[in-house]
Amino acid sequence: MQRRHAISPEKRYEQLVAQFAELDGVTVPGGEPGREGKFGAAALKVGGKIFAMLAQSRLVVKLPRARVDELVDAGEGERFDPGHGRVMREWLSLDPGSELGWDGLAREALDFVNPAR
């Protein structure tokens, strides 16, 4: 049985944002004036592209389709549905009980979205 983390997903995401704020080229939530309240405003981005975000209290990361398939098959999460009924094949919504490290998945996502970094 997977254990639940003692801190809230929102707090975990806040910690992740603080960690990635140190990296060159990464835009953190609040780093784009005028985007407040718009899709992606609370996301981690590189080169204007979202690589990680918190949605419905779950970490959502952009990864290669095969990696998402692997993680879904392993029971670590599901393909992300942003709410319009179209599942996004390169986006993983991490299961809240997963033991996978958020920082590792976010790093994978960053490298996938911006391989030239």
Side-chain angles (χ1 to χ4, degrees):
M1 172 133 187
Q2 295 175 329
R3 72 172 178 85
R4 302 277 178 188
H5 292 274
I7 61 173
S8 72
E10 291 74 18
K11 183 67 175 172
R12 287 183 78 189
Y13 186 68
E14 185 180 305
Q15 292 171 348
L16 186 70
V17 167
Q19 179 182 346
F20 278 78
E22 305 292 321
L23 301 178
D24 287 339
V26 172
T27 304
V28 298
E32 297 175 296
R35 296 260 325 142
E36 300 84 4
K38 295 182 180 169
F39 181 79
L44 286 165
K45 297 179 184 178
V46 64
K49 297 177 183 176
I50 298 171
F51 67 91
M53 62 184 167
L54 192 68
Q56 293 132 12
S57 296
R58 294 175 73 148
L59 178 67
V60 177
V61 289
K62 183 172 177 86
L63 297 169
R65 179 189 229 174
R67 178 69 169 135
V68 172
D69 291 345
E70 173 188 316
L71 292 168
V72 168
D73 290 346
E76 297 293 349
E78 56 194 37
R79 287 166 194 84
F80 179 60
D81 179 351
H84 49 64
R86 186 178 61 120
V87 175
M88 302 177 81
R89 296 183 182 144
E90 288 189 332
W91 288 89
L92 176 78
S93 177
L94 188 65
D95 186 283
S98 174
E99 290 296 317
L100 294 177
W102 284 25
D103 55 342
L105 283 173
R107 175 69 66 174
E108 266 187 76
L110 173 62
D111 293 342
F112 174 61
V113 169
N114 189 15
R117 271 186 48 77

